[in-house]
Amino acid sequence: MVIFNLKHAPGSEEAEKFLADGKAILTSIPTVTNFGVFSQVSAKNDYDYGFSMDFASQADYDFYNEHPSHVGFVKERWELEVESFLEIDFQIKE
C-alpha cells in the first residue's frame, strides 16, 4: 500500500490520468492482485490518494518490484508527478 500526494491538483485531469495509468500499468504485472485506487476522505492525514495491492508471496512482490513495467512507471511517472508519499508494506500475521 502506498498513500501519496500528486503535484497535480486533486481531481484534475492530470491527477485522474495518473491514477488511471497507474492502475492500467501496475495491474498488467501478473503477480499483482486486488489492486485498488483510493481517494482520501479522512481529515486525519494529509495524503490525497492511495494504491493498494496484494501479493501471494514475497517472491511475487519481488517479481513485481523488479518488473520492467513497475520500474518504468516509477521512473517515467512516479518520480516526476508524486510530491510526497508513504509506503506501507504489511504481511499477514499468522
Side-chain angles (χ1 to χ4, degrees):
M1 179 176 284
V2 63
I3 53 177
F4 57 95
N5 288 325
L6 294 171
K7 294 177 181 177
H8 313 298
S12 67
E13 186 175 318
E14 295 87 356
E16 294 305 312
K17 180 162 177 37
F18 178 90
L19 298 173
D21 290 350
K23 181 177 181 178
I25 292 165
L26 300 176
T27 59
S28 74
I29 301 170
T31 60
V32 172
T33 61
N34 298 323
F35 190 91
V37 178
F38 302 94
S39 293
Q40 181 61 253
V41 295
S42 172
K44 294 179 182 178
N45 75 62
D46 295 327
Y47 294 100
D48 296 320
Y49 302 107
F51 286 160
S52 73
M53 61 198 84
D54 294 335
F55 301 95
S57 66
Q58 183 65 45
D60 283 357
Y61 173 78
D62 294 341
F63 178 86
Y64 156 82
N65 207 38
E66 297 167 10
H67 193 279
S69 294
H70 175 252
V71 172
F73 179 74
V74 169
K75 285 186 179 238
E76 297 165 15
R77 301 297 298 277
W78 189 268
E79 291 177 358
L80 300 175
E81 299 180 61
V82 172
E83 185 172 71
S84 58
F85 72 95
L86 175 63
E87 183 175 333
I88 306 166
D89 297 326
F90 291 111
Q91 184 175 29
I92 294 175
K93 199 126 172 97
E94 311 251 352

